[in-house]
Amino acid sequence: MSALHQLTATELLAAFAREETTSVAATQACLDQIQQHDGRLGAFLRTSPEAALERAAHIDRKRQAGQPLGPLAGVPVAVKDVICVKDEVTTCASKMLEHYRSPFHATVIERLLAADAVLIGKTNMDEFAMGGSTENSAYRAARNPWDEQRTPGGSSGGAAACVAARMAPLSLGSDTGGSIRQPASFCGVVGLKPTYGRVSRWGLVAFASSLDQIGPLARTAQDCALLLEAIAGHDPRDSTSAPQPTPAYTRSVTQPLQGLRLGVVREHFGEGLNAEVESAVREAIAVYQSLGATVTDISLPHSRYGIATYYIIAPSEASSNLARYDGVHFGHRTDEAAMLAELAAERKALEAAGDRRGLDELDTPLVRMYRKTRSEGFGLEVKRRIMLGAYTLSKGYYDQYYVKALKVRRLIRQDFDRAFEQVDLVIGPVAPTPAFRLGEKVNDPLAMYLEDLYTVSANLAGIPGMSLPCGFTASGLPLGLQLQAPAFAEERLLRAAHQFQTATDWHTRAPSL
Amino acid sequence: MSRVEKAPYQIIIGLETHVQLKTQTKLFSRSSTAFGAPPNTQTSPVDIGLPGSLPVMNRRAYELALRTAVALNCTIPRYTKWDRKQYFYPDLPKGYQISQYDLPMSCEGWLEISDSKDAFAPKRVRIIRAHLEEDAGKSMHDEAAGKADSRIDLNRAGTPLLEIVTYPDLSSPQEAKAYLEELKLLLLYLEVSDCNMEEGSLRVDANINLHIDTPDGEVATPIVEVKNMNSFRSVERALSYEAQRQYEVWQETGQTKGQVPKQTRGWDDQAQVTRGQRHKEESSDYRYFPDPDLCPVTTTPEQIEEVQRQLGELPAATRARLVSQFGITPYDADVIVNQGRGVLTYFEELAQASGDGKQASNWVQQDVLRTLKETACAIDAFPVSALRLAELLQAVRNNEVDNARARTIFAEMLGSRLSAREAMKKLGIEKVDASDLENLCRELLAKNPHVVTDVKNGKEKAIGSLIGQARQKNPNVNPNDVRRMCLELIAKE
């Protein structure tokens, strides 16, 4: 048997069942891996070794006592720090929530616990899930395990990096415009963004409510199936959660699909697509063809408006969702004494200068508290998006931007509806490039936004999308393949992904740390 | 008011009423809506706007709102949605209020108002819209700013409110008051709200201005929004004051609508004046947009029909029915209906059982209502049931007792909780039989020959002096019976 941290969740569960190892041993192996490498990688913001080992021991005892066990019994799971765990710190990688402890569990956490999973820590991310490189974390940048000079992607950078670095077999991320799929692609792991409404958002700190979905990251489609099955399902606490039964993904994932019809999106192979990415994706398509799939050229004519649409809708919702971080009820608040002293000094200076207008316009203490709290608590990218969103929702601009974006969103959805009349899955690249260097795009927000070119459409249309390893660049960086399916057809995605993984071994390769 | 009638202007008033719906829990969370709990004890993550929390619509609140909207003759669109109204304020924890902007759950209705004393002609007050929204929390400010912190109570945050907005159809403070009274009555009949102004479950803001006739044509004064009116009476007074104030300001400044920004003024009940409130023009862009956490609500015509069917009779129809069914005056019907469902039911039972609507109306308005008021008792807890009172009224109708005796019996029934018969028995009140009455009258006539003479000379009034004597001898005799018998006996002589 390989070292425990090298095992997939499915392998671990089998080993537990055969009593070849214990959850404590597996959890310890993951913690050791974190201990050894995370100082460099920055995949985690916090780990909870004692609590994790204690819980692992508890589950081991349950197993020994022959008690019924959940489907993830004893498997270590990492959780993106945008998902609330009761009484523990959830920061969203923001200074704003540095000490914030949620009084409740997210639904997905309740379900993980009910499945007897072991939570080992909270993973690093772009602040409030805004970004594509995890460089927007207020705490530390995360690094790509395949090349530490490069980004693991984002916003679920930590979630993908920790799986790639064998620190956890499973992790939960969130995807608003590609935040699971793009880092999965950059780190050479599997990531699935479920259909909007498939997984409850209760306890997921909102970035853009109509786009956010929690989803699994793992090394295999089988493991993704395992984790998705545990967390999916209707939740009455989330009005947008779909009242759909959850299929038994773990049972169906290994069944190959017959006569799979794949759609290759013409628009996805245009300008801006890195040549190595393109050839890896084309080879992957050939693999499917060799497995009996047919390939059809399709068009998603409105996909070219995806980025523009996304960068109106997401910031609009974000500007609203983040209004609650005002220093009044929870989270960071500016130093009040200093703030009041500053105001008093300003007032005095204005009075001395006889500046009536200045005095008139001077902030009230409340407004100054808001101003300073939010200036201090939020990072640049978050502020940029709040401003964008506040602008696109303002009087006079609302129809021009937001309403129009909603219309285009509908067209993008209709494009997919039409495409899925012809094909079972849409296949293509995840991101236009492999993992880029840290710092490379930090000062070029537009270039950063273009990273989401192929992923935002799934969020806008509400359909599921998946990223799986399909090769490497000459320099050894992993490359990802994206599959997209009609709403609630995750089963099809997982089966197709598994089929690919039985024919290829990209997903078995590990970075040398 | 005569001043208004003489004034060379027309008053234009529109009202915005916030009604707290009678739900156990909040509009989007399961926290209790009960009034008066210690601060911040009725809050959930949703009410506080904690990260990761999500709203879920309270079906019951929507049902109550729908019932009200249907009763207000509103159009119910098939599709309604929730919008976020965004502004920063400490008692608004999410930074936005969930409300309804461009697709409210109801619109274009009306409520008919009239005055039973004809102070104004009956009219339909048109309703622009009625929409659902969540309430904000409550701020308690330290007046000496900077000396102590302001405090926030979020118990109220998230309480369901129905905002009902009228067209500017009201042309006097009296009409405004009448509209509010009729609206409140309707809401109480529908059992959708407690309408308790002191607890804030009914709040009113008014928009008012004047149309003034000038030699150069009609001009309009700037519209003022009046707030802080804590009773219907203060609404009436605030609007009267405000109309006069606007007229005086116009005479002084000549300012008309559009020349100055819309002003908000608060009613100072102590000083009986409206005072300008600081207005913040910059806060007027609420950046409304559809709340992505909530699903739109659809209402089918069948559902609306079902609500309509279950509405029952509404006050206006009840008034008309009481007049035709029980033969009482419109004024009396108005008084009874305005007392609410409890008193109405009592009256109807009484009128049915006693077979005399007029008497029932008199007794309810005089004796029952007075007693309720004096004893601060609710009609449900009234010690004399309608059926028992009906028994008494029948005794009056059958001439067993007169009204004065009946009141004595009623007092006994109130105190001892006896039935009318039992109370009469206890008080020794019984119908005097014909022979006893005749004997008594013979005896009195024999003792008072001058009365007999007077009557024979055409002075029938003289009998009056015998009635007092008769009642002294037997308190149960009916004065009319005594009169009739005496006259008969004299005529026979």
Side-chain angles (χ1 to χ4, degrees):
Chain A
M1 195 167 68
S2 356
L4 288 175
H5 62 274
Q6 306 280 4
L7 299 184
T8 65
T10 306
E11 288 164 350
L12 270 181
L13 283 168
F16 294 154
R18 292 194 301 266
E19 297 189 359
E20 289 168 8
T21 188
T22 62
S23 173
V24 167
T27 305
Q28 188 62 59
C30 289
L31 290 169
D32 288 348
Q33 189 74 355
I34 295 168
Q35 170 77 26
Q36 219 176 327
H37 302 292
D38 205 45
R40 295 181 341 267
L41 291 179
F44 283 86
L45 288 174
R46 257 159 285 108
T47 52
S48 41
E50 290 96 36
L53 288 169
E54 203 175 297
R55 186 166 164 82
H58 168 70
I59 289 159
D60 284 339
R61 280 194 300 275
K62 269 173 78 171
R63 191 185 299 279
Q64 273 159 12
Q67 288 174 20
L69 292 168
L72 293 175
V75 179
V77 181
V79 175
K80 187 178 180 182
D81 205 25
V82 71
I83 296 170
C84 294
V85 177
K86 190 178 173 187
D87 299 332
E88 286 180 24
V89 172
T90 297
T91 67
C92 300
S94 178
K95 287 281 175 217
M96 192 58 97
L97 292 176
E98 191 167 3
H99 306 292
Y100 177 72
R101 285 172 196 273
S102 176
F104 60 89
H105 277 314
T107 298
V108 292
I109 298 298
E110 283 179 358
R111 293 187 179 179
L112 282 185
L113 295 176
D116 287 327
V118 174
L119 307 184
I120 57 164
K122 301 296 281 290
T123 58
N124 202 358
M125 55 186 280
D126 285 300
E127 183 179 5
F128 284 104
M130 297 177 193
S133 68
T134 314
E135 289 165 290
N136 297 330
S137 168
Y139 299 102
R140 57 196 299 208
R143 292 171 184 277
N144 192 313
W146 295 90
D147 178 350
E148 289 173 22
Q149 299 312 306
R150 290 179 187 264
T151 171
S155 67
S156 308
C162 79
V163 171
R166 274 55 177 173
M167 294 166 172
L170 300 177
S171 89
L172 281 185
S174 68
D175 190 315
T176 305
S179 278
I180 288 174
R181 291 159 289 159
Q182 181 254 28
S185 158
F186 282 12
C187 292
V189 301
V190 183
L192 193 160
K193 180 208 94 77
T195 308
Y196 185 77
R198 176 62 95 184
V199 178
S200 169
R201 294 186 296 116
W202 174 262
L204 168 68
V205 180
F207 158 17
S209 314
S210 75
L211 303 161
D212 296 342
Q213 263 302 281
I214 295 173
L217 292 103
R219 297 206 302 275
T220 65
Q222 227 176 336
D223 274 12
C224 270
L226 190 64
L227 186 49
L228 181 62
E229 195 175 315
I231 60 169
H234 180 244
D235 178 8
R237 286 174 297 191
D238 174 1
S239 310
T240 62
S241 152
Q244 293 260 353
T246 307
Y249 301 120
T250 43
R251 235 175 290 159
S252 60
V253 65
T254 49
Q255 297 165 15
L257 290 156
Q258 305 297 328
L260 185 63
R261 297 172 304 163
L262 296 175
V264 176
V265 183
R266 207 171 301 142
E267 291 84 357
H268 283 180
F269 291 87
E271 207 186 326
L273 180 62
N274 173 290
E276 285 186 284
V277 175
E278 178 170 355
S279 69
V281 169
R282 295 227 184 261
E283 277 170 42
I285 294 169
V287 169
Y288 272 110
Q289 283 175 309
S290 73
L291 294 171
T294 55
V295 174
T296 314
D297 198 30
I298 57 162
S299 173
L300 297 174
H302 296 94
S303 63
R304 53 192 284 237
Y305 303 114
I307 291 285
T309 306
Y310 175 83
Y311 278 97
I312 288 169
I313 292 175
S316 293
E317 293 183 11
S319 73
S320 176
N321 285 331
L322 271 62
R324 67 192 64 198
Y325 307 108
D326 60 6
V328 176
H329 298 282
F330 50 80
H332 173 74
R333 181 188 289 182
T334 192
D335 179 328
E336 278 174 90
M339 179 270 290
L340 289 170
E342 179 188 278
L343 261 185
E346 283 174 37
R347 175 173 297 279
K348 214 167 157 188
L350 289 166
E351 278 167 355
D355 185 348
R356 287 199 144 277
R357 192 161 162 210
L359 280 168
D360 242 26
E361 286 171 0
L362 189 64
D363 288 344
T364 62
L366 176 66
V367 168
R368 181 60 63 88
M369 190 280 284
Y370 284 149
R371 221 189 264 285
K372 287 193 70 97
T373 294
R374 289 169 69 81
S375 297
E376 294 161 0
F378 290 136
L380 272 181
E381 183 59 29
V382 172
K383 284 178 197 165
R384 177 156 38 229
R385 297 203 193 186
I386 290 174
M387 285 191 285
L388 266 174
Y391 180 79
T392 49
L393 290 180
S394 327
K395 231 182 218 165
Y397 297 100
Y398 178 77
D399 289 331
Q400 202 176 330
Y401 293 112
Y402 187 76
V403 172
K404 199 164 207 169
L406 289 187
K407 285 180 187 156
V408 180
R409 183 178 188 172
R410 205 170 310 134
L411 295 173
I412 288 172
R413 193 177 301 150
Q414 285 167 4
D415 280 357
F416 277 107
D417 289 345
R418 262 192 288 276
F420 288 124
E421 285 168 11
Q422 294 178 58
V423 299
D424 302 317
L425 295 173
V426 168
I427 191 166
V430 180
T433 65
F436 48 88
R437 284 177 194 285
L438 290 169
E440 192 179 322
K441 298 188 179 183
V442 163
N443 296 315
D444 189 353
L446 269 182
M448 192 75 98
Y449 294 171
L450 285 173
E451 278 295 313
D452 305 335
L453 194 59
Y454 310 126
T455 46
V456 290
S457 297
N459 302 80
L460 290 168
I463 59 168
M466 194 167 181
S467 169
L468 57 156
C470 71
F472 286 86
T473 64
S475 61
L477 295 172
L479 296 167
L481 172 73
Q482 182 171 218
L483 299 176
Q484 290 168 315
F488 300 105
E490 286 85 356
E491 198 166 21
R492 195 184 299 167
L493 275 185
L494 289 163
R495 288 170 68 183
H498 179 77
Q499 219 170 341
F500 185 77
Q501 292 194 322
T502 55
T504 59
D505 67 352
W506 308 114
H507 63 286
T508 62
R509 304 198 187 173
S512 51
L513 296 173
Chain B
M1 246 182 294
S2 56
R3 193 188 68 210
V4 172
E5 280 156 21
K6 269 186 282 171
Y9 55 72
Q10 221 192 318
I11 306 178
I12 314 290
I13 300 168
L15 295 178
E16 285 177 21
T17 313
H18 285 88
V19 179
Q20 184 182 322
L21 297 175
K22 218 155 88 176
T23 53
Q24 298 287 309
T25 57
K26 295 184 178 179
L27 185 50
F28 298 111
S29 84
R30 299 225 178 144
S31 311
S32 165
T33 52
F35 179 80
N40 297 309
T41 56
Q42 294 180 165
T43 56
S44 74
V46 177
D47 310 320
I48 309 172
L50 290 186
S53 66
L54 294 168
V56 175
M57 186 189 78
N58 180 341
R59 281 255 138 218
R60 178 82 185 140
Y62 186 76
E63 284 163 17
L64 296 181
L66 188 61
R67 191 191 300 171
T68 310
V70 169
L72 286 170
N73 310 292
C74 286
T75 301
I76 313 293
R78 207 184 165 90
Y79 169 97
T80 185
K81 68 178 171 75
W82 302 99
D83 299 285
R84 293 183 180 178
K85 177 180 179 178
Q86 313 194 69
Y87 60 95
F88 285 97
Y89 204 70
D91 63 18
L92 191 73
K94 297 189 295 294
Y96 58 83
Q97 175 194 28
I98 305 177
S99 180
Q100 301 198 285
Y101 184 51
D102 53 343
L103 289 173
M105 53 91 47
S106 71
C107 57
E108 300 301 333
W110 48 265
L111 179 65
E112 193 157 88
I113 58 166
S114 60
D115 185 90
S116 55
K117 289 174 185 158
D118 292 324
F120 54 83
K123 72 155 70 166
R124 275 186 182 186
V125 181
R126 290 172 305 150
I127 287 163
I128 298 175
R129 58 189 278 161
H131 72 253
L132 265 167
E133 62 185 27
E134 57 174 349
D135 206 347
K138 215 158 69 184
S139 302
M140 288 157 285
H141 295 298
D142 172 43
E143 292 303 326
K147 297 283 183 241
D149 290 335
S150 291
R151 288 174 301 164
I152 312 287
D153 177 5
L154 295 179
N155 282 355
R156 212 178 63 183
T159 298
L161 298 178
L162 186 69
E163 181 176 333
I164 304 167
V165 186
T166 73
Y167 279 94
D169 282 356
L170 298 155
S171 20
S172 70
Q174 296 71 41
E175 286 185 13
K177 185 171 173 240
Y179 164 80
L180 291 169
E181 284 169 344
E182 188 65 11
L183 179 65
K184 178 179 171 179
L185 183 68
L186 180 71
L187 297 168
L188 290 173
Y189 265 78
L190 294 171
E191 295 177 329
V192 295
S193 173
D194 291 327
C195 296
N196 189 330
M197 283 187 98
E198 275 156 30
E199 293 178 4
S201 59
L202 189 82
R203 280 169 258 163
V204 186
D205 299 331
N207 282 294
I208 173 170
N209 75 336
L210 310 177
H211 286 180
I212 304 171
D213 289 323
T214 74
D216 308 325
E218 193 183 79
V219 296
T221 59
I223 297 175
V224 168
E225 182 170 3
V226 185
K227 291 178 174 286
N228 292 352
M229 299 172 291
N230 297 319
S231 66
F232 291 170
R233 206 166 66 165
S234 51
V235 171
E236 193 177 15
R237 288 184 177 172
L239 293 176
S240 297
Y241 173 88
E242 184 56 25
Q244 187 62 23
R245 189 197 66 82
Q246 286 187 16
Y247 187 60
E248 284 162 15
V249 170
W250 176 77
Q251 283 179 313
E252 251 172 65
T253 66
Q255 266 173 356
T256 56
K257 190 173 149 188
Q259 291 177 342
V260 286
K262 187 176 156 181
Q263 201 191 355
T264 301
R265 298 179 69 85
W267 173 243
D268 181 337
D269 210 37
Q270 220 89 70
Q272 300 275 299
V273 296
T274 62
R275 295 186 200 279
Q277 294 182 334
R278 270 177 298 170
H279 48 273
K280 287 182 185 161
E281 270 312 299
E282 69 274 9
S283 68
S284 65
D285 185 358
Y286 291 118
R287 286 176 286 117
Y288 279 102
F289 82 110
D291 193 324
D293 286 331
L294 289 160
C295 306
V297 184
T298 49
T299 311
T300 63
E302 294 74 38
Q303 282 172 302
I304 297 165
E305 270 168 40
E306 183 57 30
V307 171
Q308 194 96 48
R309 242 197 315 280
Q310 290 179 359
L311 272 189
E313 191 178 54
L314 298 180
T318 310
R319 288 190 191 99
R321 179 173 59 79
L322 294 191
V323 171
S324 62
Q325 186 179 348
F326 298 110
I328 62 175
T329 65
Y331 178 85
D332 289 340
D334 194 51
V335 172
I336 290 165
V337 170
N338 291 359
Q339 295 300 321
R341 230 189 246 282
V343 170
L344 170 66
T345 308
Y346 189 96
F347 164 76
E348 289 187 276
E349 278 177 27
L350 181 61
Q352 296 275 9
S354 70
D356 188 337
K358 273 205 167 102
Q359 276 281 36
S361 162
N362 288 341
W363 273 81
V364 166
Q365 287 186 61
Q366 289 163 30
D367 305 89
V368 177
L369 289 183
R370 195 188 53 228
T371 313
L372 288 176
K373 201 173 164 193
E374 282 169 5
T375 58
C377 173
I379 188 72
D380 316 335
F382 193 60
V384 180
S385 73
L387 290 178
R388 288 194 158 185
L389 183 56
E391 197 183 7
L392 179 61
L393 261 57
Q394 261 164 348
V396 176
R397 222 178 155 202
N398 298 340
N399 256 327
E400 290 176 56
V401 291
D402 60 70
N403 264 320
R405 296 290 282 169
R407 296 227 148 78
T408 312
I409 298 164
F410 180 66
E412 178 60 33
M413 290 165 74
L414 277 173
S416 61
R417 318 231 156 179
L418 294 172
S419 72
R421 289 286 158 213
E422 289 163 348
M424 285 163 74
K425 200 169 176 189
K426 185 176 174 194
L427 295 171
I429 297 173
E430 53 189 343
K431 184 160 170 70
V432 181
D433 74 33
S435 65
D436 286 351
L437 181 70
E438 191 178 332
N439 290 340
L440 178 67
C441 289
R442 282 189 195 282
E443 187 187 331
L444 288 173
L445 291 173
K447 264 192 199 162
N448 298 283
H450 62 282
V451 173
V452 179
T453 317
D454 284 352
V455 171
K456 282 189 169 165
N457 290 337
K459 284 172 73 183
E460 280 194 11
K461 269 189 184 167
I463 296 286
S465 69
L466 297 184
I467 287 168
Q469 293 180 45
R471 295 194 71 158
Q472 266 179 354
K473 288 202 175 278
N474 183 349
N476 290 332
V477 291
N478 184 315
N480 287 330
D481 294 348
V482 173
R483 175 176 286 112
R484 187 175 34 79
M485 180 59 72
C486 287
L487 289 174
E488 264 177 43
L489 292 171
I490 293 168
K492 276 187 203 161
E493 269 184 22

